[in-house]
Amino acid sequence: MNLRTLTAERSLLSIFTITLVLLCGVPISAEEKPIWDWDKEEILEKVGRVRAGKDLTPQSWPDGNRVAVSLSFDVDTEPVWLAFTGQVTPSYMSRGEYGARVGLPRILRLLDREGIPATFFVPAATYIIHPSVGKLLRARPQHEIGFHSHIHENPLKLSADEERSVYKKAMEVVVREAGKRPVGFRSAAWDLTESTVEIVKEMGFLYESSLMADDRPYQLLSEGKDTGLVELPVEWILDDWPYFQLAWSMNHHGLRQPDDVYEIWKAEFDEAYEEGTTFILTMHPQVIGHRHRIRMLRKLINYFQTRPGVWFATHEEIALYVKEQSRRVEGSGE
Ligand SMILES: [Zn+2]
């Protein structure tokens, strides 16, 4: 092949690649294999980047309890609309405002009355928009503050450098507002980039809470190696948003009857109780904070309280406990 032919071929290849980029929006290498041609190693490499390691359910919970229950609230307010759907109009902003103005105080009154702790994942921008959020949470040190992005930006759209620097900036705000450094990380997208695990480790977090490989707490592996992070898994069936939130732009048509959701969550709890593991819920003040839904949550908490051996704990308490118990078992050679 002479130089002129080679140059012409390269030009054609470039035009082909540019056309693909323009058509698909992502660079696709002309040599990239179609998925059905991947061999076993390639399949295992693709699916195996971040995986579940050991089940970390301990042999027993503190004080002989049978199950660990942890309620979490993602205090997303306006940022979830601003960053995820690009909505800035007053109607969407007012829905976020409701979360801080009505939902959060209502949730805190319920938790105060029932005497149970919870974990609040608060984007830095929520503190900036609503100084009342920091004030209300600082007045209740029994609750944990977790890390949940700067302005609910989608990490899957960021480069590694952008993700690292936006989390650093967010952490400064959160530490100032919460009065301590959070130990729990929850991705705004409930998904991780190729860099997230590394960044989360660099930032010294104890646990991660965005993945779904189990109902039980587990060891988080990256490239087959233990990251040292505890994964406290989430699930869409244990999240108030898809059941209840009406969002045309996200194609969510919620507005379910709270009784339906009560039955699903109660059955999830009953099985967790039988299995002796964890029951972890994710809720949002602008969703669960509405009157009839808070009534359902109160009924659910009151049901849990009728069962003997329920440990109400923050995510941090659970992660610390399971990590410690796992070390002990390893130390004893069991
Ligand atoms: Zn969120």
Side-chain angles (χ1 to χ4, degrees):
M1 192 181 286
N2 67 32
L3 191 60
R4 189 174 293 170
T5 317
L6 189 65
T7 308
E9 286 211 345
R10 280 196 180 146
S11 306
L12 270 175
L13 190 63
S14 304
I15 291 165
F16 176 64
T17 309
I18 290 165
T19 311
L20 272 179
V21 169
L22 289 174
L23 285 175
C24 308
V26 287
I28 294 176
S29 150
E31 298 97 47
E32 198 167 288
K33 273 194 210 171
I35 187 169
W36 55 88
D37 282 338
W38 290 354
D39 57 28
K40 181 181 167 191
E41 281 67 37
E42 286 168 302
I43 295 171
L44 294 180
E45 190 212 315
K46 294 281 182 199
V47 303
R49 200 162 49 77
V50 176
R51 294 301 256 183
K54 276 190 314 191
D55 164 24
L56 293 179
T57 303
Q59 283 177 348
S60 64
W61 291 105
D63 303 321
N65 282 309
R66 290 192 59 148
V67 68
V69 167
S70 197
L71 308 181
S72 64
F73 298 90
D74 294 1
V75 192
D76 292 342
T77 63
E78 294 89 338
V80 71
W81 302 111
L82 288 172
F84 259 58
T85 67
Q87 304 279 356
V88 292
T89 51
S91 175
Y92 283 91
M93 296 303 94
S94 69
R95 292 170 71 174
E97 189 177 15
Y98 183 94
R101 181 184 168 90
V102 181
L104 182 66
R106 195 171 268 153
I107 288 161
L108 291 172
R109 280 198 299 277
L110 172 64
L111 298 177
D112 286 350
R113 197 166 48 221
E114 303 301 337
I116 58 177
T119 297
F120 292 83
F121 288 96
V122 188
T126 288
Y127 290 116
I128 294 167
I129 303 166
H130 302 284
S132 65
V133 168
K135 214 169 153 192
L136 284 169
L137 292 174
R138 280 195 303 275
R140 291 167 176 80
Q142 70 272 32
H143 300 312
E144 177 196 358
I145 306 296
F147 184 89
H148 194 49
S149 79
H150 178 63
I151 190 163
H152 220 276
E153 66 283 342
N154 184 349
L156 304 179
K157 294 184 176 172
L158 305 181
S159 68
D161 285 349
E162 286 169 335
E163 190 178 5
R164 190 171 272 108
S165 72
V166 76
Y167 292 167
K168 187 168 175 272
K169 177 168 118 161
M171 184 58 100
E172 284 167 14
V173 175
V174 176
V175 169
R176 195 170 61 233
E177 291 290 337
K180 66 183 262 206
R181 195 176 171 90
V183 299
F185 177 89
R186 176 169 287 166
S187 159
W190 271 17
D191 207 348
L192 312 181
T193 69
E194 296 211 351
S195 316
T196 307
V197 171
E198 211 40 56
I199 298 171
V200 166
K201 277 169 58 185
E202 280 167 24
M203 292 178 79
F205 285 104
L206 165 70
Y207 71 89
E208 203 293 314
S209 183
S210 316
L211 301 179
M212 313 186 192
D214 209 312
D215 305 304
R216 304 162 297 182
Y218 61 85
Q219 188 186 38
L220 191 68
L221 306 183
S222 175
E223 311 290 355
K225 293 194 194 80
D226 182 11
T227 60
L229 292 163
V230 174
E231 178 66 31
L232 295 179
V234 292
E235 233 304 327
W236 290 111
I237 55 178
L238 292 166
D239 183 330
D240 60 354
W241 191 284
Y243 293 120
F244 293 129
Q245 187 64 296
L246 176 73
W248 308 116
S249 52
M250 290 174 165
N251 207 18
H252 286 159
H253 301 265
L255 307 183
R256 285 279 289 271
Q257 285 289 339
D259 287 348
D260 296 347
V261 180
Y262 174 83
E263 288 304 324
I264 296 168
W265 288 355
K266 176 177 174 294
E268 284 284 325
F269 165 82
D270 286 340
E271 289 301 312
Y273 189 88
E274 287 306 313
E275 292 175 356
T277 181
T278 44
F279 174 83
I280 294 175
L281 266 186
T282 302
M283 294 166 281
H284 302 76
Q286 63 183 296
V287 181
I288 200 76
H290 286 277
R291 293 171 289 203
H292 66 301
R293 296 176 189 152
I294 278 287
R295 183 180 284 202
M296 180 273 280
L297 181 59
R298 188 190 313 133
K299 187 174 147 191
L300 191 71
I301 289 171
N302 292 157
Y303 170 69
F304 298 161
Q305 288 165 331
T306 65
R307 304 303 311 258
V310 176
W311 181 40
F312 289 99
T314 63
H315 285 28
E316 178 180 6
E317 287 168 326
I318 292 176
L320 276 173
Y321 185 76
V322 300
K323 197 165 179 176
E324 175 57 30
Q325 292 298 305
S326 156
R327 270 205 210 109
R328 270 194 190 190
V329 170
E330 271 167 24
S332 70
E334 275 180 49

